[in-house]
Amino acid sequence: MENKEEDVRVGANKFHEHQPIGTAAQSQDKDYKEPPPAPFIDAAEFASWSFYRAGIAEFIATFLFLYITVLTVMGVSKSDSKCATVGIQGIAWAFGGMIFALVYCTAGISGGHINPAVTFGLFLARKLSLNRAVFYMVMQCLGAICGAGVVKGFGKSLYMAKGGGANVVAHGYTKGSGLGAEIVGTFVLVYTVFSATDAKRSARDSHVPILAPLPIGFAVFLVHLATIPITGTGINPARSLGAAIIYNKSHAWDDHWVFWVGPFIGAALAALYHQVVIRAIPFKSK
């Protein structure tokens, strides 16, 4: 126990944050390696099997994500008594739990994005190239469409009668409220992604063991608990698009822009906050 306490003391005090404003938050003698920025466009990736393998992994992961989560939503929607189902808490657990499992499975192949907003945020932080980001987003959307399509195939009449898991701004809330909920919810998710995968964590917080997919999945769970009553919780444009295309009713498209604009703004703000404020990476160390 004494050694543990010493590890905590060293981990908390080893790095000092007393640099003047405008200088990097990390010291020159850091004991971790910061990955170099990804090129804006990397044409060499098109000749690499790992590039296409990563895209396939994103497709399958998003397919499975929509399959499990929309099927859970349908199970809750079809029952007259929510007490006989997993309820809203169960839906939130389905979304968070699947993200935890799928990020764990695909992180070593594609990074485990499973969400165009996450991909967009990481692209802004120069964690991946533009061509890889676009490829991921396309594969994520295709996977989402296929996942929702399989759920509809289980029971078309039920699927159409119960909303198909499509995201809409709930009655009693304005589109502005829905947009705000999507911005803040996505900020929470993408900021958690940045924090959980930060290279600096392995050095400074080595005394706090953490499995990155766990806080990411838990963030998704918590955001769903908060915003399901407002928007059904999008925070993932591919998830919203897949359900909207398969459901394909006019009211699902009326608010659809909210589930793209909100997540992309939230992701951009999270990238800006983490890179500029938390890490101060754009500034040079003195």
Side-chain angles (χ1 to χ4, degrees), residues 68-95 221 225 228:
I68 293 296
T69 56
V70 174
L71 202 55
T72 303
V73 171
M74 291 296 98
V76 172
S77 300
K78 76 174 184 178
S79 176
D80 295 329
S81 172
K82 297 299 182 287
C83 294
T85 69
V86 295
I88 288 180
Q89 292 88 348
I91 293 173
W93 274 120
F95 278 90
F221 165 68
L225 283 182
I228 282 177

Side-chain angles (χ1 to χ4, degrees), residues 23-37:
T23 60
Q26 63 267 23
S27 60
Q28 291 284 3
D29 58 344
K30 54 183 178 285
D31 61 351
Y32 66 95
K33 184 177 181 180
E34 191 75 57

Side-chain angles (χ1 to χ4, degrees), residues 31-188:
D31 61 351
Y32 66 95
K33 184 177 181 180
E34 191 75 57
F40 184 72
I41 295 178
D42 188 356
E45 288 185 318
F46 292 112
S48 171
W49 165 239
S50 64
F51 175 74
Y52 299 100
R53 182 182 63 181
I56 293 170
E58 287 293 309
F59 172 87
I60 295 298
T62 316
F63 168 82
L64 295 174
F65 179 61
L66 266 287
Y67 170 76
I68 293 296
T69 56
V70 174
L71 202 55
T72 303
V73 171
M74 291 296 98
V76 172
S77 300
K78 76 174 184 178
S79 176
D80 295 329
S81 172
K82 297 299 182 287
C83 294
T85 69
V86 295
I88 288 180
Q89 292 88 348
I91 293 173
W93 274 120
F95 278 90
M98 278 305 289
I99 286 296
F100 168 69
L102 293 170
V103 171
Y104 180 83
C105 292
T106 60
I109 302 171
S110 65
H113 297 189
I114 322 171
N115 184 336
V118 171
T119 300
F120 179 65
L122 294 174
F123 165 70
L124 292 181
R126 301 289 303 278
K127 303 295 185 182
L128 72 165
S129 63
L130 176 62
N131 47 285
R132 183 176 287 264
V134 172
F135 183 46
Y136 277 16
M137 291 181 190
V138 170
M139 296 301 280
Q140 290 158 359
C141 290
L142 291 175
I145 294 168
C146 292
V150 170
V151 175
K152 182 178 180 180
F154 287 166
K156 181 178 179 180
S157 58
L158 174 65
Y159 183 88
M160 299 305 293
K162 298 300 182 180
N167 289 119
V168 295
V169 177
H171 180 70
Y173 292 95
T174 65
K175 286 180 172 60
S177 298
L179 181 64
E182 289 295 304
I183 290 173
V184 176
T186 311
F187 180 92
V188 172

